Amino acid sequence: MGVLLTTLEFLASLLLIFLLGFVSVIVLEAYRRRHNNAHVEAPAMFEDPESLKQVPFPDIVDPAEKYLSLIIPAYNEEYRLPGTLNETMNYLQQRAANDKSFSYEVVIVDDGSKDGTKRVAFDFVKKYGVDNVRVILLGKNHGKGEAIRKGMLHSRGELLLMLDADGASKVTDLEKLENQIHAIARKDYHPGDSAAGEATFRISDIPIVAFGSRAHLEEKALATRKWYRNFLMKGFHLVVLLAAGPGIRDTQCGFKMFTRSAARKLFTNIRLKRWCFDVEIVFLCKWFGIPMLEISVNWSEIPGSKVNPLSIPNMLWELALMSVGYRTRIWKINS
């Protein structure tokens, strides 16, 4: 009996040492990343394929020059990117032809691709011009979160939409998010219908975020997915709930729209660079009191997903860092 107790005490001591060591590692890593909201490496540049000159991108603190910016992160998307860009450009051009006040840009962020993604992106720049399509080259792979942050911080739109390169979401659904943002902005922030009020109303000045959501497809997804994927999904949702709190059922859908004011507040503070930056967006929206809308969108399963079971430990690690970083105030939030 004494030997058993001694063994249990030894195992308990090892477990305690492990837990203390793990917490210490999280705290130290959170401290190391306290300035991760600063720009990575050199300032963003884009290349004019006609003159081959490098021209600085605009900054999120500058006034908007376009109505809509679409930010597409791309990592080794040589084969899926063309279809998404063709569908996107067809929609944008048709809308611009029907509405002369509508202006847009597409910002493709090449996150250190090793295939022909850069070539594909610049083909579209040559076809549509650098005023409508621009490419940011990150040089090396930093992660989807960093790619989107870089694109957001150097876009010119009043409204900024992030969408995935795989074409899983329909670009036409952006109008659902856009219309709801306008409705909330006018209802909550713009009382009155005076001509003077209408003249001064700018959607870019009102912080609102609209989350595209696949939550309405969850029942069908549960029926078709493998049991272990459903288990991982439910577990991840529970961890997200603990880290960021309730409010958004589908944090991970890659189809979100931000007003310029919201993007300025959020993406100058984002620190997570890979998969869990979406959860950090939810956390920061609550911190700043930015209204969040969750809107159902069309979504299709596209082969070639870069999320796999090995991504789960990294996601949990990032969520742990976020929780420790913000709750211990190691990560300062810039207002």
Side-chain angles (χ1 to χ4, degrees):
M1 188 70 178
V3 174
L4 178 61
L5 288 174
T6 302
T7 303
L8 290 175
E9 289 173 354
F10 176 71
L11 292 176
S13 299
L14 285 180
L15 179 61
L16 180 60
I17 292 171
F18 173 78
L19 290 175
L20 289 174
F22 183 65
V23 170
S24 298
V25 169
I26 293 176
V27 172
L28 289 172
E29 181 64 13
Y31 182 79
R32 189 182 70 82
R33 295 195 189 191
R34 67 193 186 282
H35 298 308
N36 260 22
N37 57 323
H39 298 308
V40 297
E41 299 177 350
M45 306 289 289
F46 77 89
E47 184 179 274
D48 185 334
E50 301 298 330
S51 66
L52 299 181
K53 291 182 178 179
Q54 299 287 323
V55 183
F57 259 77
D59 195 277
I60 191 67
V61 300
D62 299 332
E65 299 175 17
K66 300 280 187 179
Y67 173 69
L68 179 65
S69 293
L70 293 88
I71 293 89
I72 304 177
Y75 177 64
N76 293 342
E77 293 288 1
E78 176 183 3
Y79 299 108
R80 299 195 297 181
L81 184 60
T84 299
L85 288 176
N86 280 322
E87 178 186 349
T88 299
M89 295 308 298
N90 288 339
Y91 164 77
L92 294 171
Q93 285 195 308
Q94 182 176 3
R95 183 167 170 180
N98 295 333
D99 180 1
K100 300 303 180 184
S101 66
F102 177 75
S103 58
Y104 67 89
E105 67 172 350
V106 175
V107 179
I108 305 161
V109 187
D110 183 355
D111 188 22
S113 298
K114 296 178 175 63
D115 63 358
T117 298
K118 175 182 174 180
R119 173 185 52 77
V120 169
F122 275 110
D123 284 346
F124 278 83
V125 178
K126 293 174 183 176
K127 183 176 181 179
Y128 294 101
V130 291
D131 190 50
N132 291 325
V133 181
R134 296 181 168 188
V135 180
I136 296 178
L137 303 174
L138 294 189
K140 66 179 183 180
N141 180 251
H142 291 277
K144 180 180 178 181
E146 181 61 35
I148 288 177
R149 186 174 76 94
K150 202 71 168 178
M152 290 282 174
L153 293 178
H154 298 290
S155 294
R156 297 175 289 169
E158 293 188 60
L159 296 175
L160 299 91
L161 176 78
M162 55 171 271
L163 69 161
D164 289 340
D166 60 6
S169 301
K170 293 296 182 184
V171 69
T172 52
D173 277 351
L174 71 85
E175 294 182 23
K176 296 180 180 179
L177 280 61
E178 175 189 0
N179 291 338
Q180 287 298 311
I181 285 177
H182 274 278
I184 294 297
R186 292 185 180 278
K187 177 184 176 182
D188 295 345
Y189 297 91
H190 187 61
D193 298 313
S194 66
E198 288 294 325
T200 59
F201 175 76
R202 291 183 63 87
I203 193 67
S204 59
D205 296 334
I206 302 167
I208 303 175
V209 179
F211 291 72
S213 176
R214 304 158 298 182
H216 62 294
L217 303 172
E218 184 173 350
E219 185 175 339
K220 180 180 178 181
L222 288 172
T224 56
R225 281 199 191 111
K226 299 287 187 181
W227 68 267
Y228 60 86
R229 290 192 65 188
N230 289 330
F231 176 77
L232 291 174
M233 181 191 70
K234 290 293 186 183
F236 181 74
H237 286 174
L238 176 61
V239 175
V240 168
L241 184 66
L242 295 173
I248 299 296
R249 293 174 62 195
D250 183 8
T251 60
Q252 303 308 113
C253 180
F255 199 76
K256 298 179 178 67
M257 182 175 283
F258 308 80
T259 62
R260 192 171 187 81
S261 174
R264 184 184 303 120
K265 287 178 176 289
L266 297 172
F267 289 97
T268 53
N269 282 289
I270 289 286
R271 288 174 171 84
L272 298 182
K273 296 189 175 187
R274 296 196 178 274
W275 301 112
C276 287
F277 77 98
D278 307 83
V279 182
E280 190 176 6
I281 287 173
V282 174
F283 180 90
L284 289 171
C285 280
K286 292 182 177 183
W287 179 279
F288 285 114
I290 297 175
M292 296 183 292
L293 313 173
E294 187 168 13
I295 300 161
S296 298
V297 295
N298 294 298
W299 186 81
S300 303
E301 186 81 45
I302 305 295
S305 172
K306 295 179 176 62
V307 180
N308 57 63
L310 296 178
S311 303
I312 300 298
N314 184 60
M315 291 179 175
L316 296 176
W317 171 249
E318 286 199 329
L319 290 176
L321 284 177
M322 186 193 81
S323 296
V324 170
Y326 284 120
R327 286 177 169 81
T328 60
R329 305 298 175 91
I330 292 175
W331 290 4
K332 305 295 184 183
I333 298 178
N334 303 317
S335 56

